[in-house]
Amino acid sequence: MRFPKPLPAAAGVLLLVLWPLIFPDAAHIQQVLGITCLYATLALAWNLYALTGAISLGHAAFFGLGAYASALLNHYYHWSPLLTIPLGALAAVVFAVFWAMGFRRLRGVYLGLASLAALEIPKTIVDNWDRFTYGSMGIMGLDRLPSATLGGLQVDLGMDLQAQYYLLLGIMLLAVLLNLKSIRSRWGWTLRAIRENETAAAALGIASNRERAKALLLSSYLAGLAGALYAHILGLVEPGLVFNLHLSVLPLVFCIFGGSTKVWGPVLGAFILYPLEQLCLLPLFPMGHSAVYGLVIILTIFFFPQGIAAWLPRAPKSA
Amino acid sequence: MAAQGPQVCLEVRQIKKYFGDQTVLRDVSFSLPAGEILGLIGPNGAGKSTLFNIISGWQKADAGSVFFFGQEITSWTPKDLSRAGLARTFQVPQIFPEMSAWENVLMGAWLPPQSRPSFSKAQEEADHWLSLVGLLELRHTPARDLPLAQQRLVELAQVLATRPRLLLLDEIAAGFSLGAVKRLAAGLAKLRDQGLTLLLTDHLFNLLEEVADRVLALDRGEIIVQGPPAALIHHPDVVSAYLGTRCGAADNGEA
Amino acid sequence: MWVGTPIIFSGLALGSFYALMALGFSLILSVARVFNLAHGEMILLSGYLAFVLWQFFQAPFFWLLPICSLALLALTLPLHYLLRRLPEPYGLNSLMVTLGLALLLQSLLLAWFSADYRLMRLDWPAVAIPGLDFSFLSFQGLLIILALAVTAGVHLVLQRTFLGKALRATIQDREAAQVAGINVNQMGLVAFGLGGLLIGLAGPLFAQNMYLYPAAGTEATMIAIVVTIFAGLGRTRNILLGGWLLGLTQSVAVFTMGSKWRELVSAALLLLLLYFRPEGLSLKKER
Amino acid sequence: MQRIRSRPGPRARLTVWLLAALLCWANQPLSAAQEIRLGEIDPLSGPLAKHGQEIHQGILYAVEEANARGGVAGHPVKLLSRDDQSKPDVAVNQAQDLIFRGKVAGLVGGYVDSLVGPISQQAARHRVPYVASASLQQAFTGNKNPFFFRVSCLEGIVQPLCQFLSQTLKTKRVALLHAATPGATEFSDLVQADLHRRDIATVLQEKFRPGWPDFSVFLLKVPAARAETLISGGFYGDNLILVRQLRQRPLGLKAFIAPWGVAYQSFIDEVGQAGEGLFGACAWSPGITQPGTEKESQELVAGFRKKFGKDPNTTTMHGYTSARALLAALETVLQEGAKPTGEAVSRALAKLDLNLPMERLAFDAHGDPRHYQQVIVQIQKQRLVVVYPPERATGQVDFSLAAR
């Protein structure tokens, strides 16, 4: 079994927690890293499902459904985002149930392609249900994250970028914890067994479809949560934005870049690629940034075929 | 309930299987008392693997039924059969390629939902079974890097770790050296003495000769002879079945 | 005129266009196991080449097809050598590399050709069918004929030549093919070569049927992916059938339900197909 | 477990350090100088890049023009351009970056409402004036944001379009096709409502996703619905295909009119003969300019052609106009000797009254342009001819050319 050295991970987390206190003025970096945490959460959600060997191209559907459900609850009932976000994410889980039933027999490339097609279903419905979802117009003016009182301390999650950053960081760390549990537990090894050889897993009495569905439901809830947060951070939803294929590809890129099946892989991927693009490439090369981004991806894959996380110190195996 | 005489572990009744218009199994019936080692021989295409797949739930029979300790298990899924204590190995070993040999065996000890052992207990079990198949020194080697014969042993240790009551071994000794076959036979005999029931196929005869209590000879989907291995090995029908299929001679086919 | 005639014809032409966009993608995916996300950008590259040849050298359209095919062949072969150097996990790594390549190509196209929309404006005479009150554009006819011809060509190569047998063996079972002495890497090279020709062919057609702009590649890649799911891997004939099915469904959906349901209807059709035939349109299920 | 390649070599380590160094370096604040900085956020890549780049060129031209004149009240102006990749989170990131690190005096640009929205909220939060170049939706300026201004609005398109349809074309039945984006959807709904008030029936209203290769089946439904006029709320590329397929089969239409895409010289060049007789809408075009700005307009075209090797168009002009507004407000503030704070510049923007080639620019209390009004043009002999409103018309509608 693997017992990772906790030191680098702990140091990394500490760094993420402490830096805003040391550089309190760097609001734009808090902004970018906050969104990075959000996308890392999405990537971690994707990774949970990928642990069963499934490469999904449909996670934008969960993201979008979470965003829209939360937005609609907020718009029609004026509930606080603190309530609508966790509730709205359940819409993604409902979709995941259909997914788990419909795609039971699909594996590999076919599953990926089917999930890609599945994205169209919520997208087109939301886009065309004008009376309820406002269709292509989207919904603007959603409530921002409210201020909350924590132990006598007033934190404005909507306006104070630092507070928002800590909220998103916290949610990301929860997702990391969930990934950690799902990799280094009996269940995690069950998922790994399914991923490596489904026949052998079944021969050991593992109900692969059920375990895969469990992972998918967890994954969809996290992805929905990320979508719902996104809607309220930006204050708007629009079908083309939250059901965007780019949101399906992003977690894939972060996970493979960082190293899938490793707890910190998706986080590393997100924390390298997104800030690199947002803080360096876009300001430096307003026109050619995507060329550089593409080159970075290509070169990294050639140098780190197992993802960046493979570079992290790894503890020797103990028996 | 106290069993009178040996309990029947596996009973196969009138199994039929067709692929298109081709009959693969016709009315195959036999029963396997608990604690016995039953061998199954037959030339390629005799239907051994199909029979195995039907018993272990990987294929559906077109007719007939299978009973496991008195319970009908005819259309159970492999996963349910495994939970009930019916384990098998495959001709092409089904293991977890990225895991080490030891981790593979650990999966067998740790994951099966019916037992839910503690992790430390499962580790002990994994050590035990891996040493039983003699691969303890290769414990850290990724399974995919092992030679095929050793992959079979890993798979054997893995399914043994699930603590089955009946174990189906599909050509487990293929590619083994004579010494390895003898060691394996000794190990299997010991397992039988501990109460495990075994059903083995063998394309050749070497393992069955060593260890089987009784052997069924299958040809073109039918049991043609059964008896102790020593009696079967030179039985004219068995010999002609093997030779006939091998040479593909038409006159043998008509006989 | 029966109202269905132009709908069916439009659907067939559209479907043929889809199939021509997808052939190269499908071949590379099924033989070389490369999920080529830069597929659309490569089609665009070929399309822009055709545009330049047309604009500055007044090259006739039928010359553009072979020229662009060969040009893209010259591009995909080095790509194969590059991708072959990738270590495991090969599928995911090649996916990422082609994604990077897509971004790179998109930037290059933006830099070379600006973000403007380009159209290859050629006059395609209308063809009237005598006896029927129906006419169509000769380019639509060309799409259908080309799709049939190219599909037949690829089909013949796969079915009737020794190379094709080896290719099919590689598609069906890579490892078994390797055991049987087929050089799987060489088959990958062949697939990339054939794929390059097909992608090159698709370029001028794309430029003519749609319009060129640097971000259009994503659309083309999506078309290729969707048609490939319809068809199932490694079945050339089914690519055409899948394309036609998709094109016809979309045309009928637009006519009966309205443009806004086009995507939903095709997605639903696709999912139903996958539900009942997880391997795609193919009639025989592989065991 | 020793796996091959599981540990990267020194080259890989180097890559990581380089990445880290790049990150650290990027976080250095930009050095502050005497110059005035303007921030621009536009879709410079991706599907919207054409119009994003055009707006960018317009803004760039305005800034360089100002610098050539000696800057704004003596201060050189520097333009910091950013690509928003058509994603709102990126737009917000870049707005933040421009405000905090770039220390910009104001923001311009913005092509799509879902991106202009988040940028305007950043502008309000950090008290930086923002003049949006191409924002349309109405919902947008509903709640008062004293830092937000825009040089265009949907009314300025819908009004002349509907008046033209009822007064000049005298059409009774229209078919409406529009792209599934917020701006185009709102356009379609507004046109439908406005035409309804004028007793014009919308007999077919459909939307589609941009990038659709085949409109021929939709076009079959147009004569079936007995529509006389087809209004396309699609974008440039969609109209290219639509127009080509329109020519294949006579539909018995009185006119085809599209607010976006048609009124560009490049469009005319691309579609060639197929474009003859089409109607479009534009705010400005070389030769079509706000009365009294003819000379300025000509100079602008000449200068622009010299710099970019092509003519400016209506989109370019939206960028140019927004940048001009911001520069003018900055100049007012600086000439008064005040510090160019967000509040001061916004107050100056609110009081602005400029006669620019594209429009007479003055903002109302919501930051909307008071006088933004597009003209209806028809393509005649490969040229854009203004046919509506009458006071700006440069030619007559050619009805025979329009009918198809």
Side-chain angles (χ1 to χ4, degrees):
Chain A
M1 311 286 20
R2 276 172 209 168
F3 292 102
K5 279 186 202 148
L7 208 60
V13 171
L14 211 62
L15 191 71
L16 286 179
V17 171
L18 289 182
W19 77 265
L21 304 176
I22 304 165
F23 303 101
D25 294 333
H28 66 289
I29 300 183
Q30 284 166 13
Q31 164 77 30
V32 170
L33 290 191
I35 301 290
T36 310
C37 290
L38 185 87
Y39 283 144
T41 308
L42 180 63
L44 287 160
W46 184 90
N47 199 39
L48 266 180
Y49 189 41
L51 288 177
T52 68
I55 302 293
S56 152
L57 287 174
H59 265 59
F62 301 137
F63 190 90
L65 279 169
Y68 254 96
S70 180
L72 289 169
L73 286 173
N74 180 248
H75 180 80
Y76 284 114
Y77 299 106
H78 305 288
W79 293 348
S80 155
L82 288 186
L83 192 61
T84 64
I85 289 172
L87 280 180
L90 288 174
V93 180
V94 173
F95 187 66
V97 171
F98 286 109
W99 172 319
M101 291 191 302
F103 297 165
R104 241 175 340 146
R105 299 199 293 168
L106 299 178
R107 301 283 180 274
V109 157
Y110 291 99
L111 179 62
L113 298 179
S115 59
L116 184 73
L119 170 61
E120 284 298 332
I121 290 181
K123 180 178 182 178
T124 318
I125 290 174
V126 166
D127 202 353
N128 291 336
W129 195 354
D130 296 346
R131 293 228 180 111
F132 180 56
T133 63
Y134 298 88
S136 307
M137 305 268 283
I139 307 171
M140 283 194 185
L142 299 176
D143 283 347
R144 296 322 188 83
L145 298 174
S147 40
T149 318
L150 283 175
L153 193 70
Q154 180 86 5
V155 279
D156 186 349
L157 297 168
M159 296 301 271
D160 180 3
L161 285 175
Q162 190 166 330
Q164 192 175 303
Y165 168 72
Y166 279 124
L167 173 74
L168 295 171
L169 180 66
I171 288 171
M172 183 196 83
L173 289 177
L174 274 178
V176 168
L177 221 60
L178 202 60
N179 261 262
L180 200 73
K181 279 278 164 222
S182 311
I183 289 178
R184 303 203 179 121
S185 68
R186 191 161 170 277
W187 187 56
W189 281 87
T190 308
L191 297 185
R192 182 169 170 190
I194 295 169
R195 179 171 83 232
E196 287 196 17
N197 187 341
E198 218 174 308
T199 306
L204 296 182
I206 294 169
S208 26
N209 276 330
R210 227 185 62 195
E211 303 302 329
R212 189 180 283 126
K214 269 194 223 164
L216 177 66
L217 294 189
L218 266 180
S219 167
S220 67
Y221 188 77
L222 267 186
L225 208 58
L229 281 163
Y230 185 85
H232 290 283
I233 287 171
L234 289 170
L236 61 92
V237 282
E238 199 185 288
L241 292 177
V242 292
F243 290 105
N244 197 319
L245 183 62
H246 130 87
L247 289 166
S248 280
V249 177
L250 206 66
L252 178 91
V253 172
F254 288 165
C255 286
I256 299 173
F257 187 90
S260 185
T261 73
K262 294 183 183 67
V263 180
W264 292 100
V267 178
L268 268 178
F271 269 84
I272 291 173
L273 285 179
Y274 193 71
L276 175 77
E277 186 187 33
Q278 299 297 318
L279 292 174
C280 305
L281 300 182
L282 283 171
L284 287 178
F285 315 101
M287 305 286 177
H289 56 86
S290 67
V292 184
Y293 193 75
L295 265 181
V296 167
I297 289 180
I298 295 175
L299 291 179
T300 314
I301 292 302
F302 273 97
F303 288 133
F304 303 88
Q306 305 275 340
I308 293 279
W311 188 73
L312 288 180
R314 203 192 292 183
K317 285 188 150 194
S318 61
Chain B
M1 57 181 149
Q4 295 172 347
Q7 216 180 345
V8 176
C9 169
L10 182 75
E11 187 162 356
V12 172
R13 285 188 200 155
Q14 313 239 303
I15 292 288
K16 285 192 182 70
K17 180 76 187 175
Y18 314 99
F19 284 143
D21 51 359
Q22 203 186 347
T23 308
V24 182
L25 293 173
R26 54 189 104 197
D27 294 331
V28 173
S29 304
F30 66 87
S31 83
L32 171 56
E36 192 184 295
I37 298 183
L38 179 65
L40 203 55
I41 59 162
N44 274 337
K48 288 172 302 187
S49 287
T50 308
L51 185 58
F52 253 50
N53 285 342
I54 287 172
I55 294 172
S56 57
W58 292 93
Q59 278 177 315
K60 296 264 171 285
D62 291 317
S65 45
V66 186
F67 293 84
F68 182 54
F69 285 105
Q71 190 173 19
E72 176 154 12
I73 54 162
T74 312
S75 52
W76 284 28
T77 59
K79 145 202 122 201
D80 289 334
L81 287 170
S82 163
R83 291 181 185 187
L86 191 158
R88 72 165 291 183
T89 66
F90 293 80
Q91 264 183 40
V92 178
Q94 297 294 325
I95 47 173
F96 304 112
E98 301 284 328
M99 297 186 197
S100 70
W102 180 78
E103 282 170 339
N104 262 284
V105 184
L106 179 73
M107 294 300 107
W110 196 29
L111 295 189
Q114 68 271 21
S115 47
R116 291 195 158 269
S118 73
F119 183 53
S120 54
K121 181 91 195 319
Q123 281 179 308
E124 281 169 27
E125 292 267 300
D127 284 339
H128 168 71
W129 293 111
L130 199 63
S131 66
L132 195 83
V133 297
L135 290 179
L136 207 52
E137 65 274 26
L138 292 173
R139 56 189 307 159
H140 295 310
T141 315
R144 65 143 50 121
D145 296 345
L146 292 169
L148 203 60
Q150 286 177 343
Q151 288 188 4
R152 287 213 172 88
L153 289 178
V154 168
E155 190 189 22
L156 175 64
Q158 186 188 68
V159 296
L160 280 172
T162 67
R163 297 265 176 194
R165 291 192 284 174
L166 168 64
L167 183 55
L168 278 61
L169 301 180
D170 201 353
E171 300 202 3
I172 183 105
F176 278 36
S177 69
L178 209 60
V181 169
K182 282 209 181 330
R183 276 199 299 280
L184 179 65
L188 294 181
K190 208 193 263 170
L191 288 170
R192 187 245 335 255
D193 297 342
Q194 287 163 10
L196 183 67
T197 314
L198 286 145
L199 178 60
L200 320 178
T201 65
D202 209 357
H203 181 62
L204 299 172
F205 217 49
N206 44 12
L207 178 65
L208 296 186
E209 194 181 2
E210 293 284 340
V211 72
D213 297 316
R214 196 157 58 95
V215 174
L216 306 177
L218 211 59
D219 186 33
R220 282 178 228 129
E222 280 176 304
I223 295 174
I224 46 172
V225 209
Q226 53 177 306
L232 251 72
I233 194 161
H234 299 300
H235 194 285
D237 287 353
V238 176
V239 172
S240 85
Y242 267 85
L243 290 179
T245 321
R246 277 207 192 133
C247 306
D251 53 330
N252 267 342
E254 294 300 318
Chain C
M1 178 184 62
W2 179 50
V3 68
T5 317
I7 297 175
I8 290 173
F9 190 80
S10 286
L12 282 182
L14 185 65
S16 303
F17 175 67
Y18 286 165
L20 286 164
M21 292 299 117
L23 273 169
F25 179 86
S26 158
L27 198 68
I28 289 178
L29 176 62
S30 49
V31 178
R33 305 267 168 221
V34 173
F35 203 94
N36 181 12
L37 286 178
H39 177 76
E41 278 70 22
M42 288 158 74
I43 289 182
L44 273 192
L45 211 59
S46 161
Y48 271 111
L49 176 66
F51 176 78
V52 168
L53 290 174
W54 169 76
Q55 175 109 23
F56 297 104
F57 302 98
Q58 281 81 43
F61 189 75
F62 287 98
W63 276 101
L64 296 177
L65 298 176
I67 295 176
C68 291
S69 278
L70 291 175
L72 262 284
L73 176 71
L75 185 82
T76 45
L77 292 186
L79 180 64
H80 175 252
Y81 280 106
L82 187 75
L83 290 176
R84 229 181 59 186
R85 298 167 60 93
L86 277 175
E88 290 291 328
Y90 183 72
L92 288 180
N93 281 339
S94 62
L95 180 110
M96 287 287 283
V97 168
T98 53
L99 174 73
L101 187 67
L103 291 171
L104 196 65
L105 282 178
Q106 235 180 68
S107 301
L108 288 178
L109 290 174
L110 187 65
W112 290 338
F113 299 103
S114 86
D116 286 345
Y117 295 88
R118 310 281 185 190
L119 207 59
M120 262 169 47
R121 188 160 32 81
L122 294 164
D123 285 327
W124 294 94
V127 179
I129 297 181
L132 268 174
D133 179 22
F134 172 62
S135 70
F136 60 90
L137 218 64
S138 51
F139 183 70
Q140 291 181 309
L142 176 73
L143 279 178
I144 297 177
I145 293 168
L146 259 184
L148 280 168
V150 172
T151 306
V154 175
H155 184 71
L156 282 182
V157 168
L158 284 183
Q159 298 293 327
R160 294 292 154 82
T161 64
F162 180 71
L163 186 69
K165 286 203 174 96
L167 277 173
R168 274 188 299 145
T170 314
I171 294 171
Q172 271 155 18
D173 191 337
R174 212 177 159 72
E175 269 148 32
Q178 208 153 14
V179 171
I182 294 172
N183 185 339
V184 177
N185 267 333
Q186 235 164 43
M187 289 305 117
L189 184 71
V190 173
F192 265 85
L194 260 176
L197 290 175
L198 293 168
I199 290 171
L201 186 74
L205 300 174
F206 187 87
Q208 177 60 49
N209 200 47
M210 295 207 29
Y211 43 89
L212 296 168
Y213 67 104
T218 325
E219 197 74 24
T221 308
M222 281 303 289
I223 293 174
I225 291 176
V226 168
V227 175
T228 303
I229 326 176
F230 260 86
L233 287 187
R235 288 178 171 76
T236 337
R237 266 174 308 176
N238 288 333
I239 295 276
L240 187 56
L241 289 179
W244 280 352
L245 183 60
L246 194 65
L248 284 173
T249 314
Q250 290 186 351
S251 289
V252 171
V254 167
F255 191 78
T256 55
M257 302 168 72
S259 316
K260 62 181 184 178
W261 296 111
R262 179 181 74 113
E263 285 85 4
L264 188 71
V265 169
S266 34
L269 179 74
L270 198 62
L271 291 175
L272 278 178
L273 187 86
L274 279 169
Y275 188 78
F276 291 108
R277 287 194 182 282
E279 302 280 318
L281 260 185
S282 45
L283 296 174
K284 265 184 285 176
K285 210 180 144 209
E286 272 179 60
R287 239 185 301 140
Chain D
M1 177 171 62
Q2 294 300 308
R3 236 183 254 160
I4 308 148
R5 277 182 180 277
S6 70
R7 274 190 187 264
R11 267 191 308 183
R13 276 160 197 269
L14 191 67
T15 317
V16 167
W17 285 120
L18 278 178
L19 284 177
L22 200 60
L23 269 178
C24 294
W25 171 68
N27 290 337
Q28 298 289 322
L30 301 171
S31 65
Q34 266 296 7
E35 66 199 11
I36 302 278
R37 291 147 175 266
L38 295 188
E40 177 214 348
I41 303 166
D42 268 317
L44 299 176
S45 67
L48 304 176
K50 174 182 166 58
H51 295 314
Q53 296 268 8
E54 284 166 353
I55 293 176
H56 166 70
Q57 287 170 347
I59 294 171
L60 191 63
Y61 188 79
V63 168
E64 296 199 348
E65 199 182 54
N67 280 335
R69 285 201 206 109
V72 174
H75 296 270
V77 182
K78 188 173 178 194
L79 180 68
L80 304 177
S81 299
R82 295 295 163 82
D83 182 6
D84 62 29
Q85 299 173 310
S86 310
K87 293 168 201 151
D89 57 306
V90 178
V92 169
N93 291 340
Q94 296 312 313
Q96 290 261 358
D97 197 47
L98 286 170
I99 292 167
F100 282 97
R101 210 143 56 93
K103 311 238 180 296
V104 294
L107 293 167
V108 282
Y111 180 62
V112 174
D113 289 307
S114 47
L115 303 179
V116 171
I119 298 173
S120 75
Q121 276 155 1
Q122 293 303 316
R125 185 186 293 180
H126 304 294
R127 316 180 86 72
V128 174
Y130 173 38
V131 186
S133 303
S135 160
L136 294 174
Q137 277 184 283
Q138 290 181 321
F140 222 70
T141 42
N143 39 353
K144 184 87 189 72
N145 174 354
F147 296 92
F148 176 67
F149 302 89
R150 60 183 183 184
V151 299
S152 60
C153 61
L154 211 44
E155 274 302 284
I157 304 173
V158 175
Q159 278 294 336
L161 184 81
C162 293
Q163 281 166 5
F164 172 70
L165 286 172
S166 76
Q167 292 171 13
T168 310
L169 279 183
K170 299 193 170 41
T171 187
K172 282 289 159 220
R173 299 167 70 86
V174 301
L176 244 170
L177 180 69
H178 66 93
T181 66
T185 308
E186 187 164 353
F187 162 80
S188 172
D189 290 347
L190 284 177
V191 166
Q192 197 262 339
D194 193 313
L195 292 179
H196 184 70
R197 282 194 296 275
R198 297 169 198 269
D199 272 335
I200 298 175
T202 304
V203 291
L204 189 63
Q205 187 175 13
E206 286 202 7
K207 77 173 170 190
F208 67 97
R209 281 213 204 139
W212 188 15
D214 183 21
F215 290 95
S216 57
V217 174
F218 166 78
L219 290 175
L220 285 175
K221 294 159 82 172
V222 174
R226 289 186 295 120
E228 299 168 342
T229 303
L230 175 59
I231 306 171
S232 158
F235 297 110
Y236 193 101
D238 304 314
N239 285 328
L240 283 176
I241 290 191
L242 186 54
V243 164
R244 197 176 46 192
Q245 292 177 342
L246 205 58
R247 287 296 186 195
Q248 285 171 23
R249 207 167 286 126
L251 298 179
L253 281 179
K254 247 181 171 171
F256 170 88
I257 181 162
W260 300 295
V262 169
Y264 292 81
Q265 192 60 45
S266 60
F267 186 88
I268 300 171
D269 295 342
E270 291 298 334
V271 298
Q273 277 303 316
E276 284 299 298
L278 302 179
F279 294 98
C282 73
W284 180 91
S285 186
I288 302 172
T289 189
Q290 187 70 17
T293 60
E294 290 80 3
K295 186 162 167 292
E296 194 187 342
S297 209
Q298 275 167 18
E299 282 170 8
L300 189 130
V301 173
F304 195 90
R305 204 178 277 163
K306 204 167 139 198
K307 178 162 171 56
F308 296 107
K310 61 180 184 187
D311 280 356
N313 59 33
T314 178
T315 319
T316 323
M317 218 50 193
H318 281 79
Y320 177 79
T321 307
S322 55
R324 279 288 300 270
L326 193 54
L327 289 167
L330 276 165
E331 187 149 27
T332 316
V333 173
L334 288 167
Q335 272 170 349
E336 285 167 0
K339 275 186 86 97
T341 60
E343 284 83 354
V345 177
S346 299
R347 271 195 305 273
L349 274 166
K351 285 190 215 134
L352 217 57
D353 196 347
L354 294 170
N355 201 25
L356 294 173
M358 188 175 91
E359 65 184 308
R360 183 177 157 209
L361 188 61
F363 298 105
D364 66 10
H366 295 290
D368 269 342
R370 282 180 198 277
H371 311 294
Y372 181 75
Q373 194 83 346
Q374 296 205 348
V375 296
I376 306 300
V377 295
Q378 187 180 26
I379 302 177
Q380 295 176 5
K381 299 199 180 76
Q382 310 278 303
R383 307 283 309 161
L384 292 175
V385 175
V386 181
V387 293
Y388 191 90
E391 65 270 19
R392 290 186 63 183
T394 58
Q396 292 288 317
V397 173
D398 187 335
F399 287 100
S400 63
L401 209 54
R404 54 196 62 223

